[in-house]
Amino acid sequence: MNRYPRDMHGYGPIPPKANWPGGAHVAVQFVLNYEEGGENNILHGDGASEAFLVDVLGAAPWPGQRHANVESMYEYGARAGFWRLHRLFTEAELPVTVYGVATALMRAPAQLAAMQEAGWEIASHGYKWIQHKDMTPEVEREQIAEAIRLHTVATGERPRGWYTGRSSLNTVDLVSEVGGFAYISDTYDDDLPYWRVHQGKPHLIIPYSLSTNDMRFVTGPGFDNGEEYFQFLKDSFDCLYAEGEAGSPKMMSLGLHCRLVGQPGRYQGLKKFVDYIKGFDKVWIPTRLAIAEHWAAEHPYVAPEVIPSQLDKADFVTRYGSIFEHSPWIAERAWEAEMGPANDTAIGLHFALRSQFRMASEEERLAVLRAHPDLAGKLAAAKRLTAESTAEQASVGLDALTDGERQKFTMLNTAYVDKFGFPFIIAVRDNTKASILEAFETRLTNSTEEEFAAACAQVERIALLRLKAILP
């Protein structure tokens, strides 16, 4: 058994209807990352200076030393950039979600008061603005708890949203285990919220984005100026708005930093984008908490009836061992091979089973072909078909043939088996009685090699139709 933990499927080709308020075609969400005063600094007990997301070319941590230039750039964000952005959003009366680093909020009484007076949502951005990838789960768990405690002290209430940012592989699981959050945002894997189950409990994920994040002003390839930034935001918005207009509304997240887009030349690109989207009627501009509450109401978590990749072997083979006629070994091999969330749909599980069929020896595949019954043959008359075959043959009336039709099928079955050594196989649900007879006569002219390939393809098609009848 080899289970692949990453979900490469998601919503698939048909995402759910977001049903944004007012029939909006897109939800545009502004996030202000408040990190100034929470970054790496030996004043904060860290081992080195900060080097991430600053305008110092080639910045690197300085072990045991303060970095005056980097510190002053973070100070610019608190002293000047924050207030420029605050004026923009309060004058435009636009909701904002703040990702607040707990230690940064504790060092920003005036900025925090302004956030709260404006009615902005303040979500947690962790205890400190530092890297978590090498932390043990125990240490990170302690930092999550301390972030919640300090956030509550600073703001007067527990955070309802979470985003670490410089996260570890354990972050989403650890935050889920703490619980009490309306959403978690440490993923970048979708344009819509979705439910993620951890230890049997569902948690709402509202994915974030780094493509529309102003961090690209100081990372490469990135934005050279405010005009490039505006054009990228505009193109992203136009694409998502058009998709929403066509019936598939999505979400657009903009990540902002006081020390980055708070700089005048960059700020102009953001302001231009804010002015641009004001010209559209079907735009919803919420906080992330508002998105979470909307999604929970419109799309509450519904536990799937069965998750194939999570079944034990016996249950898996019981459920899917007959998908390939009388060949449970295919299901057994699929269960033992790599499977994951992408295999939990009809198409995904069919891929896993079909792969084992295709990797089998020619003798094994021939045995699968021979395990199929004749169409309208003796087994059908004796009611000895599998439930799947019985339903399939009945769907086109092969269980109610006239004497003349039965005689013709018997003659064709005999001729086919005599020539190829296995029964004639066709996905009857794709056909009618007449088209089956026509295919019978046409395929009798094939070579053995051609017909072996044709029969195997039909076996795979039958398996897919069977799975589509029982799985999403």
Side-chain angles (χ1 to χ4, degrees), residues 7 46 59 74 93 114 148 159 177 197 259 293 297 322 361 389 391 395 421 453 466:
D7 185 350
D46 303 306
Y74 270 81
E93 298 182 335
I148 294 171
E177 288 167 20
V197 177
R259 65 191 177 280
E293 292 171 340
S322 63
S361 67
S389 289
S395 70
R466 289 178 176 180

Side-chain angles (χ1 to χ4, degrees), residues 156-170:
E157 58 184 3
R158 187 189 191 281
R160 296 189 61 196
W162 184 277
Y163 174 73
T164 296
R166 297 161 86 172
S167 58
S168 77
L169 195 61
N170 302 308

Side-chain angles (χ1 to χ4, degrees), residues 12 15 23 29 45 47 82 162-163 201-202 225 310 328 350 404 420:
Q29 208 285 299
F82 170 81
W162 184 277
Y163 174 73
K201 295 182 179 180
N225 52 62
Q310 295 183 17
H350 179 255
F420 300 115

Side-chain angles (χ1 to χ4, degrees), residues 135-142 144 168-179 181 184 196 198:
M135 281 187 190
T136 65
E138 292 72 26
V139 171
E140 188 172 1
R141 188 179 288 109
E142 290 171 1
I144 291 169
S168 77
L169 195 61
N170 302 308
T171 297
V172 177
D173 285 348
L174 292 173
V175 176
S176 298
E177 288 167 20
V178 170
F181 293 100
I184 302 168
R196 178 181 185 270
H198 179 65

Side-chain angles (χ1 to χ4, degrees), residues 85 88 229 256 261 266-274:
L85 297 173
L88 171 65
Y229 177 52
L256 312 172
V261 80
R266 297 165 178 166
Y267 166 85
Q268 287 299 101
L270 175 63
K271 185 177 185 304
K272 193 171 180 180
F273 177 72
V274 169

